Amino acid sequence: MKSSKVSRHYFFLLFCQMSSLSRALLGICVLLFEVRESQELSGLSWNAYTTVITTATAAAAATTTPVITPETPDANGIPQFHSPQVKITVKNGDRILLPCKIHNLGDNHVIWRHGTNVLAGTNVSTFADERIELLPDLTLEITGVTVDDEGEYECILTGEFQRPGLIHSVTVHDAPKVSLITPTSMAVIEGEDVEIGCIPHGNPLPRITWSVRDAYIPIPTQMLHLHRITLEKVTRKHAGLYVCSADNGVGRPAIGAVYVRVLYTPEIEVPKIRVHGGVGYKASLACLVYADPPAEVKWRIGEKVVELSDRIYKETVGFNEHNLILSPVKDYDFQTYTCEANNSRGYDIRHIEFTGVPNPPIIRRWETQILLKGTNVEGKAEGTNIKEEINVKLLWDVECYSRLSYYSLHFRPVKKNEINSFNEDTIPRWMELTIPADPSSASFLHTKTYTFFSGLQPSTIYETAIKARNRYGWSPISDVCYFSTFPNSSSIKQQEFQDSLKKWREQTRSGKEDLELPSREEIAEFISSQSGADGVVFPFEMKKAYHGFSLLLLLGCVVWNYLILD
């Protein structure tokens, strides 16, 4: 007997230590057992009742509000509620069952009330809503639930034995909907402001997210979730489909869309303002026209409209690319053409030079070799008069339909710590070499190699630029290229140097004006060194930045030793 009391005492202490949630779950288990034994009183299926009780369990766990457990039937026949309170969340259009099981009801009556409205009762012959039905076990059934059905429902016992009613809570979630404050399509004039928006509906209130399609200007981040957005001083880049998406987690997001059309003056973009062509070949002059309303496009030579024929005709690609095709090209076709676009808002023009002169040369690579004159085949001196000979080989190519006549090669040493673009008036002055072109080939690409055998200073950096000529005139000047006369230097090593220099600058902290960049001599030394050829070692000192980094590293080691190792 003593052992039994000790066991009960131990169990009581253990039960007291259980959390409120655990005790609630234990009570629910007892309730489920009793409900399963008395299914005939509820009129619900076991699965349906389990759903109701599970909802109540989840609500109790979330709010830590204890669930009302069934009371023991009174031996004197006093009516008692035998159903728990429930909190139900349903979707719009669903069916709900609100239990109200009572022991010892006797001659008493029950009414159901929603707010101040009486919905049904045992002594009510006509219900307020045809969607409502009172089941034999006094459960209230509502079909086709709407948002208006949300709220608290109270099962009230009337008669001689009145007591507080049983209250259930119902939340109705409604799928999102949107209504636009503007038409689905609207036209505005360039430079105006336009407001678009959509109003969300649903329960819970949906969150708005905007997106845009086809427009070139994105929606500002601060406007992405607003109900109304304003586009200020619109341009053609604002035109597009603006999509409003409303989502509250119930069903699929609702979508609303507004197409914004911007009416503006034509705008022309020219991919190439200078087009090279050749007699007997086909040529295409292109201009990109942006306009709304759509523009009429014309081609002119001076003030005269180009006469179209089987040889000269217009071609449209996509929505905005307008081409003038010349096939085959004649000598007199080399002129300046004007692309003109007109609509009701205004007009725009762009000029294109169609020419037969070569395209600018492109310098592809260079190599430097230092030869010792006065040595034999084995490299041994044959006399006392030994000197270095500098050879620099340049390779370039030119795109041209016709035969080239010659090239003009300009070069000069670079002033220390300064790189100048091509300019005839800059000192030191450019030196010029005239180089005959190779015999004409059938290829459109003309390739040329030239080697400097004299006239270059040792250990010096040079800049060079090239022009090409044919019977129509001189080509534009090429981009400036840099080469050096340090031993074994080349354009390949120079590229490796540029890559290393780029990485070095990226790793250097910004805002350090006292960092000393490598000099021209150090650059050339790197290009000609073995390490430069391998592209591994970057031999420049960071000087002040390097010392600062060393001090920071030393301080870090001290802190690590003090805080971590101890």
Side-chain angles (χ1 to χ4, degrees), residues 362-402:
I362 300 175
I363 301 175
R364 296 297 183 185
R365 64 176 183 268
W366 56 271
E367 296 177 359
T368 298
Q369 290 183 337
I370 307 298
L371 304 178
L372 296 178
K373 296 191 69 174
T375 60
N376 57 23
V377 178
E378 298 177 355
K380 297 181 180 181
E382 294 182 338
T384 58
N385 198 11
I386 300 176
K387 58 181 179 180
E388 292 182 346
E389 182 179 274
I390 303 171
N391 286 352
V392 176
K393 181 187 295 184
L394 296 178
L395 184 144
W396 66 87
D397 50 45
V398 180
E399 295 176 348
C400 184
Y401 283 100
S402 59

Side-chain angles (χ1 to χ4, degrees), residues 382-444:
E382 294 182 338
T384 58
N385 198 11
I386 300 176
K387 58 181 179 180
E388 292 182 346
E389 182 179 274
I390 303 171
N391 286 352
V392 176
K393 181 187 295 184
L394 296 178
L395 184 144
W396 66 87
D397 50 45
V398 180
E399 295 176 348
C400 184
Y401 283 100
S402 59
R403 185 177 67 87
L404 298 179
S405 304
Y406 48 87
Y407 303 94
S408 178
L409 190 152
H410 302 257
F411 67 101
R412 67 177 176 184
V414 176
K415 294 173 63 177
K416 185 175 181 180
N417 296 327
E418 181 180 350
I419 299 179
N420 298 310
S421 60
F422 183 79
N423 188 327
E424 295 288 357
D425 299 328
T426 303
I427 298 176
R429 298 191 62 83
W430 292 90
M431 294 170 280
E432 182 178 355
L433 292 175
T434 299
I435 303 171
D438 293 337
S440 178
S441 64
S443 174
F444 170 66

